[in-house]
PDB file of all heavy atoms in Angstrom:
ATOM      1  N   VAL Y   1       0.830  -1.208   0.000  1.00 81.00           N
ATOM      2  CA  VAL Y   1       0.000   0.000   0.000  1.00 81.00           C
ATOM      3  C   VAL Y   1       0.865   1.259   0.000  1.00 81.00           C
ATOM      4  O   VAL Y   1       0.539   2.256  -0.647  1.00 81.00           O
ATOM      5  CB  VAL Y   1      -0.969  -0.006   1.215  1.00 81.00           C
ATOM      6  CG1 VAL Y   1      -1.641   1.349   1.392  1.00 81.00           C
ATOM      7  CG2 VAL Y   1      -2.018  -1.106   1.030  1.00 81.00           C
ATOM      8  N   GLN Y   2       1.995   1.215   0.694  1.00 84.00           N
ATOM      9  CA  GLN Y   2       2.899   2.370   0.723  1.00 84.00           C
ATOM     10  C   GLN Y   2       3.551   2.648  -0.626  1.00 84.00           C
ATOM     11  O   GLN Y   2       3.983   3.769  -0.882  1.00 84.00           O
ATOM     12  CB  GLN Y   2       4.027   2.131   1.744  1.00 84.00           C
ATOM     13  CG  GLN Y   2       3.659   2.393   3.181  1.00 84.00           C
ATOM     14  CD  GLN Y   2       4.871   2.185   4.081  1.00 84.00           C
ATOM     15  OE1 GLN Y   2       5.199   1.060   4.427  1.00 84.00           O
ATOM     16  NE2 GLN Y   2       5.550   3.264   4.438  1.00 84.00           N
ATOM     17  N   MET Y   3       3.662   1.617  -1.470  1.00 83.00           N
ATOM     18  CA  MET Y   3       4.410   1.726  -2.730  1.00 83.00           C
ATOM     19  C   MET Y   3       5.839   2.200  -2.408  1.00 83.00           C
ATOM     20  O   MET Y   3       6.568   1.510  -1.753  1.00 83.00           O
ATOM     21  CB  MET Y   3       3.695   2.674  -3.707  1.00 83.00           C
ATOM     22  CG  MET Y   3       2.313   2.195  -4.111  1.00 83.00           C
ATOM     23  SD  MET Y   3       2.288   0.716  -5.128  1.00 83.00           S
ATOM     24  CE  MET Y   3       2.746   1.375  -6.728  1.00 83.00           C
ATOM     25  N   TYR Y   4       6.184   3.430  -2.840  1.00 83.00           N
ATOM     26  CA  TYR Y   4       7.532   3.966  -2.557  1.00 83.00           C
ATOM     27  C   TYR Y   4       7.460   5.229  -1.704  1.00 83.00           C
ATOM     28  O   TYR Y   4       8.401   6.012  -1.662  1.00 83.00           O
ATOM     29  CB  TYR Y   4       8.271   4.240  -3.869  1.00 83.00           C
ATOM     30  CG  TYR Y   4       8.486   2.981  -4.672  1.00 83.00           C
ATOM     31  CD1 TYR Y   4       7.641   2.667  -5.721  1.00 83.00           C
ATOM     32  CD2 TYR Y   4       9.510   2.092  -4.348  1.00 83.00           C
ATOM     33  CE1 TYR Y   4       7.815   1.484  -6.442  1.00 83.00           C
ATOM     34  CE2 TYR Y   4       9.694   0.920  -5.060  1.00 83.00           C
ATOM     35  CZ  TYR Y   4       8.838   0.623  -6.107  1.00 83.00           C
ATOM     36  OH  TYR Y   4       9.008  -0.537  -6.813  1.00 83.00           O
ATOM     37  N   THR Y   5       6.338   5.407  -1.009  1.00 81.00           N
ATOM     38  CA  THR Y   5       6.145   6.600  -0.185  1.00 81.00           C
ATOM     39  C   THR Y   5       6.363   6.270   1.285  1.00 81.00           C
ATOM     40  O   THR Y   5       6.510   5.104   1.668  1.00 81.00           O
ATOM     41  CB  THR Y   5       4.723   7.159  -0.371  1.00 81.00           C
ATOM     42  OG1 THR Y   5       3.776   6.188   0.111  1.00 81.00           O
ATOM     43  CG2 THR Y   5       4.436   7.455  -1.833  1.00 81.00           C
ATOM     44  N   GLY Y   6       6.358   7.325   2.103  1.00 80.00           N
ATOM     45  CA  GLY Y   6       6.504   7.110   3.537  1.00 80.00           C
ATOM     46  C   GLY Y   6       7.882   6.613   3.913  1.00 80.00           C
ATOM     47  O   GLY Y   6       8.823   6.643   3.118  1.00 80.00           O
ATOM     48  N   LYS Y   7       7.982   6.138   5.122  1.00 88.00           N
ATOM     49  CA  LYS Y   7       9.280   5.702   5.660  1.00 88.00           C
ATOM     50  C   LYS Y   7       9.356   4.182   5.697  1.00 88.00           C
ATOM     51  O   LYS Y   7       8.382   3.509   6.024  1.00 88.00           O
ATOM     52  CB  LYS Y   7       9.443   6.271   7.081  1.00 88.00           C
ATOM     53  CG  LYS Y   7      10.836   6.111   7.646  1.00 88.00           C
ATOM     54  CD  LYS Y   7      10.922   6.768   9.028  1.00 88.00           C
ATOM     55  CE  LYS Y   7      12.320   6.600   9.598  1.00 88.00           C
ATOM     56  NZ  LYS Y   7      12.421   7.114  10.972  1.00 88.00           N
ATOM     57  N   ALA Y   8      10.528   3.652   5.342  1.00 87.00           N
ATOM     58  CA  ALA Y   8      10.740   2.202   5.418  1.00 87.00           C
ATOM     59  C   ALA Y   8      10.833   1.758   6.871  1.00 87.00           C
ATOM     60  O   ALA Y   8      11.440   2.435   7.702  1.00 87.00           O
ATOM     61  CB  ALA Y   8      12.006   1.810   4.666  1.00 87.00           C
ATOM     62  N   ASP Y   9      10.219   0.625   7.168  1.00 91.00           N
ATOM     63  CA  ASP Y   9      10.190   0.089   8.529  1.00 91.00           C
ATOM     64  C   ASP Y   9      11.369  -0.855   8.735  1.00 91.00           C
ATOM     65  O   ASP Y   9      11.313  -2.029   8.385  1.00 91.00           O
ATOM     66  CB  ASP Y   9       8.857  -0.646   8.733  1.00 91.00           C
ATOM     67  CG  ASP Y   9       8.782  -1.346  10.076  1.00 91.00           C
ATOM     68  OD1 ASP Y   9       9.609  -1.032  10.965  1.00 91.00           O
ATOM     69  OD2 ASP Y   9       7.903  -2.214  10.246  1.00 91.00           O
ATOM     70  N   TRP Y  10      12.434  -0.318   9.302  1.00 94.00           N
ATOM     71  CA  TRP Y  10      13.627  -1.133   9.537  1.00 94.00           C
ATOM     72  C   TRP Y  10      13.438  -2.122  10.681  1.00 94.00           C
ATOM     73  O   TRP Y  10      14.141  -3.133  10.748  1.00 94.00           O
ATOM     74  CB  TRP Y  10      14.828  -0.223   9.812  1.00 94.00           C
ATOM     75  CG  TRP Y  10      15.288   0.555   8.615  1.00 94.00           C
ATOM     76  CD1 TRP Y  10      14.732   0.558   7.365  1.00 94.00           C
ATOM     77  CD2 TRP Y  10      16.412   1.436   8.554  1.00 94.00           C
ATOM     78  NE1 TRP Y  10      15.443   1.395   6.525  1.00 94.00           N
ATOM     79  CE2 TRP Y  10      16.473   1.947   7.237  1.00 94.00           C
ATOM     80  CE3 TRP Y  10      17.364   1.845   9.476  1.00 94.00           C
ATOM     81  CZ2 TRP Y  10      17.462   2.852   6.830  1.00 94.00           C
ATOM     82  CZ3 TRP Y  10      18.348   2.745   9.076  1.00 94.00           C
ATOM     83  CH2 TRP Y  10      18.395   3.236   7.760  1.00 94.00           C
ATOM     84  N   ASP Y  11      12.480  -1.871  11.565  1.00 93.00           N
ATOM     85  CA  ASP Y  11      12.238  -2.803  12.676  1.00 93.00           C
ATOM     86  C   ASP Y  11      11.795  -4.167  12.153  1.00 93.00           C
ATOM     87  O   ASP Y  11      12.157  -5.204  12.725  1.00 93.00           O
ATOM     88  CB  ASP Y  11      11.169  -2.247  13.633  1.00 93.00           C
ATOM     89  CG  ASP Y  11      11.690  -1.090  14.460  1.00 93.00           C
ATOM     90  OD1 ASP Y  11      12.922  -0.974  14.602  1.00 93.00           O
ATOM     91  OD2 ASP Y  11      10.868  -0.292  14.955  1.00 93.00           O
ATOM     92  N   THR Y  12      11.018  -4.159  11.071  1.00 95.00           N
ATOM     93  CA  THR Y  12      10.586  -5.430  10.484  1.00 95.00           C
ATOM     94  C   THR Y  12      11.776  -6.174   9.887  1.00 95.00           C
ATOM     95  O   THR Y  12      11.873  -7.405   9.994  1.00 95.00           O
ATOM     96  CB  THR Y  12       9.506  -5.199   9.414  1.00 95.00           C
ATOM     97  OG1 THR Y  12       8.367  -4.583  10.029  1.00 95.00           O
ATOM     98  CG2 THR Y  12       9.059  -6.508   8.777  1.00 95.00           C
ATOM     99  N   ILE Y  13      12.692  -5.435   9.265  1.00 96.00           N
ATOM    100  CA  ILE Y  13      13.912  -6.056   8.730  1.00 96.00           C
ATOM    101  C   ILE Y  13      14.693  -6.708   9.880  1.00 96.00           C
ATOM    102  O   ILE Y  13      15.179  -7.840   9.755  1.00 96.00           O
ATOM    103  CB  ILE Y  13      14.777  -5.025   7.997  1.00 96.00           C
ATOM    104  CG1 ILE Y  13      14.008  -4.423   6.809  1.00 96.00           C
ATOM    105  CG2 ILE Y  13      16.091  -5.645   7.527  1.00 96.00           C
ATOM    106  CD1 ILE Y  13      14.704  -3.252   6.134  1.00 96.00           C
ATOM    107  N   LYS Y  14      14.799  -5.997  10.990  1.00 96.00           N
ATOM    108  CA  LYS Y  14      15.490  -6.536  12.172  1.00 96.00           C
ATOM    109  C   LYS Y  14      14.811  -7.810  12.665  1.00 96.00           C
ATOM    110  O   LYS Y  14      15.479  -8.806  12.985  1.00 96.00           O
ATOM    111  CB  LYS Y  14      15.501  -5.481  13.283  1.00 96.00           C
ATOM    112  CG  LYS Y  14      16.196  -5.941  14.555  1.00 96.00           C
ATOM    113  CD  LYS Y  14      16.139  -4.876  15.640  1.00 96.00           C
ATOM    114  CE  LYS Y  14      16.843  -5.361  16.898  1.00 96.00           C
ATOM    115  NZ  LYS Y  14      16.756  -4.361  17.991  1.00 96.00           N
ATOM    116  N   SER Y  15      13.476  -7.808  12.708  1.00 96.00           N
ATOM    117  CA  SER Y  15      12.734  -8.986  13.172  1.00 96.00           C
ATOM    118  C   SER Y  15      12.962 -10.182  12.261  1.00 96.00           C
ATOM    119  O   SER Y  15      13.080 -11.322  12.724  1.00 96.00           O
ATOM    120  CB  SER Y  15      11.234  -8.669  13.250  1.00 96.00           C
ATOM    121  OG  SER Y  15      10.993  -7.649  14.195  1.00 96.00           O
ATOM    122  N   VAL Y  16      13.028  -9.919  10.954  1.00 96.00           N
ATOM    123  CA  VAL Y  16      13.295 -10.996  10.000  1.00 96.00           C
ATOM    124  C   VAL Y  16      14.691 -11.570  10.239  1.00 96.00           C
ATOM    125  O   VAL Y  16      14.884 -12.790  10.276  1.00 96.00           O
ATOM    126  CB  VAL Y  16      13.140 -10.495   8.548  1.00 96.00           C
ATOM    127  CG1 VAL Y  16      13.713 -11.513   7.553  1.00 96.00           C
ATOM    128  CG2 VAL Y  16      11.676 -10.212   8.231  1.00 96.00           C
ATOM    129  N   LYS Y  17      15.667 -10.679  10.412  1.00 97.00           N
ATOM    130  CA  LYS Y  17      17.047 -11.132  10.635  1.00 97.00           C
ATOM    131  C   LYS Y  17      17.142 -12.007  11.882  1.00 97.00           C
ATOM    132  O   LYS Y  17      17.874 -13.011  11.903  1.00 97.00           O
ATOM    133  CB  LYS Y  17      17.974  -9.913  10.754  1.00 97.00           C
ATOM    134  CG  LYS Y  17      19.426 -10.239  11.101  1.00 97.00           C
ATOM    135  CD  LYS Y  17      20.086 -11.120  10.052  1.00 97.00           C
ATOM    136  CE  LYS Y  17      21.489 -11.531  10.484  1.00 97.00           C
ATOM    137  NZ  LYS Y  17      22.063 -12.554   9.587  1.00 97.00           N
ATOM    138  N   GLU Y  18      16.399 -11.649  12.914  1.00 97.00           N
ATOM    139  CA  GLU Y  18      16.427 -12.414  14.161  1.00 97.00           C
ATOM    140  C   GLU Y  18      15.723 -13.766  14.033  1.00 97.00           C
ATOM    141  O   GLU Y  18      15.962 -14.676  14.826  1.00 97.00           O
ATOM    142  CB  GLU Y  18      15.772 -11.598  15.281  1.00 97.00           C
ATOM    143  CG  GLU Y  18      16.603 -10.389  15.706  1.00 97.00           C
ATOM    144  CD  GLU Y  18      15.849  -9.447  16.637  1.00 97.00           C
ATOM    145  OE1 GLU Y  18      14.618  -9.628  16.804  1.00 97.00           O
ATOM    146  OE2 GLU Y  18      16.492  -8.533  17.195  1.00 97.00           O
ATOM    147  N   ALA Y  19      14.873 -13.889  13.000  1.00 97.00           N
ATOM    148  CA  ALA Y  19      14.022 -15.083  12.892  1.00 97.00           C
ATOM    149  C   ALA Y  19      14.573 -16.164  11.967  1.00 97.00           C
ATOM    150  O   ALA Y  19      14.061 -17.292  11.976  1.00 97.00           O
ATOM    151  CB  ALA Y  19      12.627 -14.667  12.413  1.00 97.00           C
ATOM    152  N   VAL Y  20      15.593 -15.831  11.155  1.00 97.00           N
ATOM    153  CA  VAL Y  20      16.110 -16.817  10.194  1.00 97.00           C
ATOM    154  C   VAL Y  20      17.629 -16.930  10.300  1.00 97.00           C
ATOM    155  O   VAL Y  20      18.293 -16.070  10.876  1.00 97.00           O
ATOM    156  CB  VAL Y  20      15.723 -16.443   8.738  1.00 97.00           C
ATOM    157  CG1 VAL Y  20      14.211 -16.459   8.557  1.00 97.00           C
ATOM    158  CG2 VAL Y  20      16.306 -15.092   8.327  1.00 97.00           C
ATOM    159  N   ASN Y  21      18.162 -17.979   9.691  1.00 97.00           N
ATOM    160  CA  ASN Y  21      19.604 -18.209   9.704  1.00 97.00           C
ATOM    161  C   ASN Y  21      20.257 -17.959   8.350  1.00 97.00           C
ATOM    162  O   ASN Y  21      21.480 -18.047   8.233  1.00 97.00           O
ATOM    163  CB  ASN Y  21      19.888 -19.655  10.151  1.00 97.00           C
ATOM    164  CG  ASN Y  21      19.454 -19.899  11.586  1.00 97.00           C
ATOM    165  OD1 ASN Y  21      19.828 -19.156  12.485  1.00 97.00           O
ATOM    166  ND2 ASN Y  21      18.641 -20.923  11.786  1.00 97.00           N
ATOM    167  N   ILE Y  22      19.456 -17.685   7.337  1.00 97.00           N
ATOM    168  CA  ILE Y  22      20.005 -17.362   6.014  1.00 97.00           C
ATOM    169  C   ILE Y  22      20.291 -15.857   5.949  1.00 97.00           C
ATOM    170  O   ILE Y  22      19.761 -15.086   6.763  1.00 97.00           O
ATOM    171  CB  ILE Y  22      19.027 -17.771   4.889  1.00 97.00           C
ATOM    172  CG1 ILE Y  22      17.643 -17.134   5.106  1.00 97.00           C
ATOM    173  CG2 ILE Y  22      18.938 -19.281   4.766  1.00 97.00           C
ATOM    174  CD1 ILE Y  22      16.647 -17.405   3.986  1.00 97.00           C
ATOM    175  N   PRO Y  23      21.144 -15.422   5.009  1.00 97.00           N
ATOM    176  CA  PRO Y  23      21.433 -13.990   4.904  1.00 97.00           C
ATOM    177  C   PRO Y  23      20.173 -13.165   4.631  1.00 97.00           C
ATOM    178  O   PRO Y  23      19.286 -13.584   3.882  1.00 97.00           O
ATOM    179  CB  PRO Y  23      22.392 -13.912   3.713  1.00 97.00           C
ATOM    180  CG  PRO Y  23      23.034 -15.250   3.659  1.00 97.00           C
ATOM    181  CD  PRO Y  23      21.976 -16.217   4.093  1.00 97.00           C
ATOM    182  N   VAL Y  24      20.112 -11.996   5.271  1.00 98.00           N
ATOM    183  CA  VAL Y  24      19.001 -11.063   5.091  1.00 98.00           C
ATOM    184  C   VAL Y  24      19.551  -9.766   4.509  1.00 98.00           C
ATOM    185  O   VAL Y  24      20.504  -9.192   5.044  1.00 98.00           O
ATOM    186  CB  VAL Y  24      18.276 -10.790   6.429  1.00 98.00           C
ATOM    187  CG1 VAL Y  24      17.230  -9.687   6.257  1.00 98.00           C
ATOM    188  CG2 VAL Y  24      17.626 -12.067   6.951  1.00 98.00           C
ATOM    189  N   ILE Y  25      18.952  -9.327   3.406  1.00 98.00           N
ATOM    190  CA  ILE Y  25      19.362  -8.093   2.726  1.00 98.00           C
ATOM    191  C   ILE Y  25      18.296  -7.038   2.987  1.00 98.00           C
ATOM    192  O   ILE Y  25      17.126  -7.232   2.647  1.00 98.00           O
ATOM    193  CB  ILE Y  25      19.529  -8.339   1.215  1.00 98.00           C
ATOM    194  CG1 ILE Y  25      20.570  -9.439   0.965  1.00 98.00           C
ATOM    195  CG2 ILE Y  25      19.919  -7.047   0.500  1.00 98.00           C
ATOM    196  CD1 ILE Y  25      20.535 -10.017  -0.442  1.00 98.00           C
ATOM    197  N   GLY Y  26      18.692  -5.939   3.622  1.00 97.00           N
ATOM    198  CA  GLY Y  26      17.755  -4.872   3.956  1.00 97.00           C
ATOM    199  C   GLY Y  26      17.626  -3.866   2.833  1.00 97.00           C
ATOM    200  O   GLY Y  26      18.616  -3.474   2.215  1.00 97.00           O
ATOM    201  N   ASN Y  27      16.392  -3.420   2.576  1.00 95.00           N
ATOM    202  CA  ASN Y  27      16.110  -2.505   1.472  1.00 95.00           C
ATOM    203  C   ASN Y  27      15.131  -1.418   1.929  1.00 95.00           C
ATOM    204  O   ASN Y  27      14.160  -1.713   2.602  1.00 95.00           O
ATOM    205  CB  ASN Y  27      15.526  -3.326   0.307  1.00 95.00           C
ATOM    206  CG  ASN Y  27      15.194  -2.519  -0.938  1.00 95.00           C
ATOM    207  OD1 ASN Y  27      14.292  -2.872  -1.679  1.00 95.00           O
ATOM    208  ND2 ASN Y  27      15.918  -1.447  -1.187  1.00 95.00           N
ATOM    209  N   GLY Y  28      15.456  -0.167   1.562  1.00 93.00           N
ATOM    210  CA  GLY Y  28      14.547   0.932   1.867  1.00 93.00           C
ATOM    211  C   GLY Y  28      15.217   2.074   2.588  1.00 93.00           C
ATOM    212  O   GLY Y  28      15.759   1.912   3.676  1.00 93.00           O
ATOM    213  N   ASP Y  29      15.224   3.238   1.937  1.00 92.00           N
ATOM    214  CA  ASP Y  29      15.727   4.490   2.534  1.00 92.00           C
ATOM    215  C   ASP Y  29      17.233   4.523   2.757  1.00 92.00           C
ATOM    216  O   ASP Y  29      17.718   5.203   3.665  1.00 92.00           O
ATOM    217  CB  ASP Y  29      15.006   4.797   3.862  1.00 92.00           C
ATOM    218  CG  ASP Y  29      13.527   5.114   3.676  1.00 92.00           C
ATOM    219  OD1 ASP Y  29      13.119   5.329   2.521  1.00 92.00           O
ATOM    220  OD2 ASP Y  29      12.795   5.136   4.680  1.00 92.00           O
TER     221      ASP Y  29
END
């Protein structure tokens, strides 16, 4: 819904990184 507007939620990226053992690539802002 945000498309490319607003602010990227880095907390969700952090939660993903904490939840898996494969490499996580963060994207946004």
Side-chain angles (χ1 to χ4, degrees):
V1 169
Q2 280 183 279
M3 298 292 283
Y4 298 99
T5 64
K7 191 177 180 185
D9 175 16
W10 291 2
D11 288 339
T12 299
I13 299 172
K14 180 182 180 182
S15 297
V16 167
K17 175 61 185 171
E18 290 170 350
V20 297
N21 295 308
I22 55 176
V24 173
I25 302 164
N27 181 209
D29 293 347

